[in-house]
Amino acid sequence: MSEFHRKIERNTMRFVLAIIVVASIGGIVEIAPLFTIKSTVEAAPNMRVYTPLELAGRSIYMREGCYACHSQMIRTLRDEVERYGPYSLAVESQYDHPMLWGSKRTGPDIARVGEKYSDAWHVAHLYNPRDVVPESVMPAYRWLLRNELRIDDLPGHLRAMRDVGVPYTDAMIENAAKDAFGQAAPESDAAVGVTERYGAATHMRAFDGNAGRLTEMDALVAYLQIMGKLTDAAQKTEQTKIGE
Amino acid sequence: MIARLTVAERQSALLILIVMSFLGLAMAAAGRGTPFGLHGFLVIAASIGVGLPLLRKFYAPEPDPAQFEQYYDDPTKVGIVLAMLWAIAGMFVGVWVAALLAWPDLTIDAAWASFGRLRPIHTSGVIFGFGGNALIATSFHVLQRTSRARLPDQLSPWFVLLGYNLFCVVAATGYMMGVTQSKEYAEPEWYADIWLVIVWVVYFLIYIRTLARRKEPHIYVANWYYMAFILVVAILHIVNNLAVPVSFGDFKSYSAFSGVQDAMTQWWYGHNAVAFFLTAGFLGMLYYYLPKRAGRPIFSYRLSIISFWGITFMYMWAGSHHLHYTALPQWVQTLGMTFSIVLLVPSWASAGNALATLNGAWHKVRDDATLRFMMVAAVFYGISTFEGSFMAIRAVNSLSHYTDWTVGHVHAGALGWVAMITFGSIYALVPWMWKRETMYSARLIEVHFWLALAGTVVYVFAMWNSGIIQGLMWRTYTDSGTLAYSFIDSLVAMHPYYIARAFGGLLFLLGAIVGTYNVLMTIRVAKRERAQSGGGTDVPSYGRDPVLQAGE
């Protein structure tokens, strides 16, 4: 062994190539098949994409670093399923660029928090968590209610998402800004066409309680309320992997 | 320092800065009124900040050719100081966010000051700011000594060091403005990522070019690790950061991969950032500074080979242990667990090799806090790699994952291993660099050592306790078969440990401040001494600096 190694360690290029080859094997074996083996991601034909407003909310979720304390991945363990709901399937995050599975639960998992609490609860909780959960250590996000949501760049965001593989249609991209406003102002003209493009079950309401003004709070609450609701694949799949 | 650059190098530097200023201007124009535009102004400011002192010495005469007979250490010197300053900044933010978890209302109503935006400043500040600068600074030093060759030119090391720090500043200021990819330890957005690739390529070329000029037949083992660090970090960084930006002028991008593929790629990156940034690079430090300081050769050449290739091969399989019991297919989880366990062999080979090297020098460990830093680092390296393999076992991971135990494990490695080996190496390196016999104060090194050790122990024990309590509370059932505790019950139980953790971190931060003071005072005293001795030229180090041979 030593003789062989002495040859390698006397030649820079040989050494560099050896490192690249040896280090590449693990990643190639573990990652490449995930794109090719079909059973990796379950089928969910009825799954819908994020509306522009929800996508904007997701960006705010990322901007504020929520992933540092909240996971979005319920493991196949009995206590997790009983605490949070059916364990997460791969397909549920197939439109998540990037995924936000998280690695730490300083706060609870929120993969299935959608529709679990009212909009008003979320607004109050985000404005000051300790108003509704006295023991909470979550930061207060008061500026979400102050900041108006920027929507003029949303077509660009949807287009980038389409570039990485999310099936947004031309109509969705074209109407992105209008749809974002309309989803949170169901009585307005802008609301026309939102459910047509994103499905009848789309939440159409003033998430922050004020339909006249579109705030970052609207977007974030819209995102939280759709969490775990893009597809019902997890509810329909028998939970056979628990404890495995 | 600038007068030591050749005239041609000064001209190239000016050209690079002009190009960068225009790039910054383009960014500022394209992203008017957004964080992207502000970063454009930051690039312009950085270019001017470096350009002004350059212009002041621009027409200085060509440097004395005698300097080319000596090693080129100016970038190393600046890198050491930058590393210490980043240590204070990163650890200060760490203590701050730790305090926020204990007292969440201890803050102001401003977005930039909230936990979620500060936390990546802490992680990037210590990993990339402190760790990265220390790696760059020491790698230039080690590379020249073990190759007995001067760096190939004097401009590219500056480009790497200063360009890298620009990346760090763009990253940290970006987080405050909400610019993040939300990929842990890969938060910087696309334009910062592209810039880092450019810097990294130049870094790699410096390595290759210097090794090509080496006067030693063998490439010394420390350089194997530094090279693995540079190469593999490049691979990881490029693959994990593949993304489509919304537009030029928008900071935001969408990652190429999604869902389960993205999760696997992210943790392949994340775990190997630990392996090749926080382990391989620092093992390079260990393999040079520990034997030098102890005055003993490396114990075993064979163990070095086994541990090097073992780490390079097996770490890359281990990332999936971050995804046990998730929607990742189980075969990948099983592979990740298996390799994580076998990884203990090369890890302990390194730790054992380091400790066995100290045989015959244990009296020095007792008397010399600098060497003691390195010894404790090797011990913590052994402890945290054992813990890591243990936590990668699925059954253990079902308890530990998502809890503070992970945080404790990371800090056992980051404080006990990475920071300790860095401080030890810097204390060994600073007197060599500034041509002094010793550091300004041996007493202060001793103070730093005990602050660092106490801080690490307090921190890690607090997180072990809180993590295990948390994990157990989440899975405890009552006699009637229902969950015994609500989530908030477990959070309330964490409070005392969060206070203890903040205290442990504070001790460690105080140690870093003491260390920085000691380094700066050493530099000051060295300068004063040289001024008194009448001008003073650098001592030529060719032929005088003993060069270690790998295991021989």
Side-chain angles (χ1 to χ4, degrees), chain B residues 270-294:
Chain B
H271 195 71
N272 289 297
V274 175
F276 289 90
F277 208 100
L278 295 180
T279 303
F282 292 89
L283 281 172
M285 257 185 226
L286 177 97
Y287 270 106
Y288 183 79
Y289 294 101
L290 182 130
K292 280 286 274 191
R293 187 76 185 187

Side-chain angles (χ1 to χ4, degrees), chain A:
Chain A
M1 182 185 75
S2 293
E3 264 322 295
F4 173 68
H5 201 269
R6 266 169 221 276
K7 271 189 201 141
I8 300 180
E9 70 177 50
R10 280 160 175 268
N11 183 310
T12 312
M13 273 311 155
R14 230 178 271 170
F15 206 93
V16 165
L17 278 178
I19 290 175
I20 293 176
V21 170
V22 168
S24 299
I25 299 170
I28 291 171
V29 172
E30 289 188 350
I31 298 175
L34 298 178
F35 290 93
T36 56
I37 298 177
K38 269 227 159 116
S39 62
T40 302
V41 180
E42 306 81 358
N46 63 349
M47 181 163 174
R48 82 155 165 87
V49 295
Y50 291 110
T51 64
L53 186 66
E54 292 153 8
L55 187 67
R58 193 167 193 274
S59 297
I60 293 167
Y61 182 96
M62 289 166 61
R63 182 186 80 189
E64 303 301 346
C66 305
Y67 66 96
C69 294
H70 292 284
S71 59
Q72 296 184 20
M73 174 47 62
I74 302 164
R75 295 181 294 170
T76 56
L77 299 168
R78 181 182 155 207
D79 59 291
E80 299 216 351
V81 170
E82 283 178 21
R83 190 181 296 277
Y84 301 117
Y87 59 73
S88 300
L89 301 183
V91 69
E92 291 180 275
S93 49
Q94 70 166 334
Y95 296 144
D96 287 6
H97 294 265
M99 58 84 210
L100 295 172
W101 291 7
S103 62
K104 177 72 174 55
R105 285 180 187 153
T106 304
D109 186 278
I110 50 178
R112 305 211 180 282
V113 82
E115 299 289 271
K116 198 170 163 187
Y117 303 93
S118 67
D119 294 344
W121 186 91
H122 278 299
V123 173
H125 184 247
L126 287 164
Y127 191 79
N128 183 18
R130 278 155 294 288
D131 285 347
V132 280
V133 185
E135 306 89 344
S136 170
V137 298
M138 190 169 116
Y141 294 95
R142 300 198 173 92
W143 55 91
L144 296 180
L145 217 44
R146 292 197 294 264
N147 292 357
E148 244 174 86
L149 183 71
R150 187 178 166 192
I151 54 174
D152 62 305
D153 60 346
L154 279 172
H157 285 253
L158 264 62
R159 206 171 297 121
M161 280 283 270
R162 184 162 75 177
D163 288 344
V164 292
V166 181
Y168 281 109
T169 64
D170 289 337
M172 288 171 169
I173 292 173
E174 208 174 295
N175 293 293
K178 185 175 82 71
D179 286 352
F181 188 86
Q183 190 182 350
E187 307 295 322
S188 72
D189 294 343
V192 179
V194 176
T195 50
E196 200 179 295
R197 282 184 279 277
Y198 295 94
T202 307
H203 305 139
M204 303 284 294
R205 54 194 192 235
F207 295 93
D208 68 355
N210 179 355
R213 192 162 171 264
L214 189 64
T215 61
E216 294 186 339
M217 185 67 87
D218 276 309
L220 185 56
V221 174
Y223 173 58
L224 292 173
Q225 294 292 31
I226 198 65
M227 224 171 263
K229 301 274 176 197
L230 291 178
T231 169
D232 55 2
Q235 280 77 13
K236 281 190 178 152
T237 314
E238 226 182 308
Q239 299 257 305
T240 52
K241 286 194 193 161
I242 292 175
E244 255 179 33

Side-chain angles (χ1 to χ4, degrees), chain B residues 274-447:
Chain B
V274 175
F276 289 90
F277 208 100
L278 295 180
T279 303
F282 292 89
L283 281 172
M285 257 185 226
L286 177 97
Y287 270 106
Y288 183 79
Y289 294 101
L290 182 130
K292 280 286 274 191
R293 187 76 185 187
R296 309 274 314 162
I298 289 288
F299 168 70
S300 163
Y301 171 62
R302 256 160 217 269
L303 272 183
S304 316
I305 296 178
I306 292 172
S307 58
F308 176 77
W309 291 107
I311 283 172
T312 306
F313 178 66
M314 284 190 278
Y315 250 113
M316 298 298 266
W317 297 74
S320 53
H321 69 225
H322 289 255
L323 299 166
H324 281 328
Y325 298 99
T326 67
L328 181 76
Q330 195 166 341
W331 65 268
V332 195
Q333 300 179 23
T334 310
L335 270 180
M337 171 172 109
T338 312
F339 277 94
S340 303
I341 294 168
V342 187
L343 249 180
L344 191 59
V345 175
S347 299
W348 274 26
S350 283
N353 210 0
L355 292 176
T357 300
L358 292 172
N359 272 343
W362 286 101
H363 60 287
K364 291 187 190 165
V365 176
R366 184 194 59 206
D367 299 335
D368 177 12
T370 301
L371 191 57
R372 212 179 311 128
F373 260 116
M374 302 187 204
M375 185 277 289
V376 170
V379 171
F380 267 102
Y381 179 62
I383 294 173
S384 50
T385 46
F386 173 80
E387 189 187 24
S389 295
F390 182 62
M391 290 168 79
I393 299 169
R394 270 166 63 88
V396 179
N397 196 268
S398 73
L399 180 85
S400 74
H401 194 53
Y402 293 136
T403 73
D404 286 322
W405 187 355
T406 313
V407 182
H409 167 62
V410 170
H411 283 83
L415 304 178
W417 153 237
V418 174
M420 296 261 198
I421 189 66
T422 305
F423 290 137
S425 302
I426 285 180
Y427 284 138
L429 180 56
V430 165
W432 295 339
M433 287 286 93
W434 276 274
K435 318 285 185 211
R436 276 194 101 238
E437 285 296 309
T438 57
M439 287 290 295
Y440 165 71
S441 164
R443 196 83 173 270
L444 287 181
I445 304 180
E446 200 69 49
V447 171

Side-chain angles (χ1 to χ4, degrees), chain B residues 39 86 117 120-121 124-125 167-177 188:
Chain B
H39 273 154
W86 274 107
R117 296 197 189 188
I121 300 183
S124 291
F167 164 79
C168 293
V169 172
V170 167
T173 52
Y175 305 151
M176 283 198 263
M177 299 186 285

Side-chain angles (χ1 to χ4, degrees), chain B residues 37-75:
Chain B
L38 282 176
H39 273 154
F41 285 115
L42 182 72
V43 171
I44 298 174
S47 309
I48 294 175
V50 177
L52 282 183
L54 176 70
L55 283 176
R56 212 170 298 143
K57 291 277 175 70
F58 196 71
Y59 295 107
E62 283 279 5
D64 178 9
Q67 76 174 41
F68 298 107
E69 301 302 312
Q70 299 167 10
Y71 295 126
Y72 188 52
D73 290 327
D74 291 350

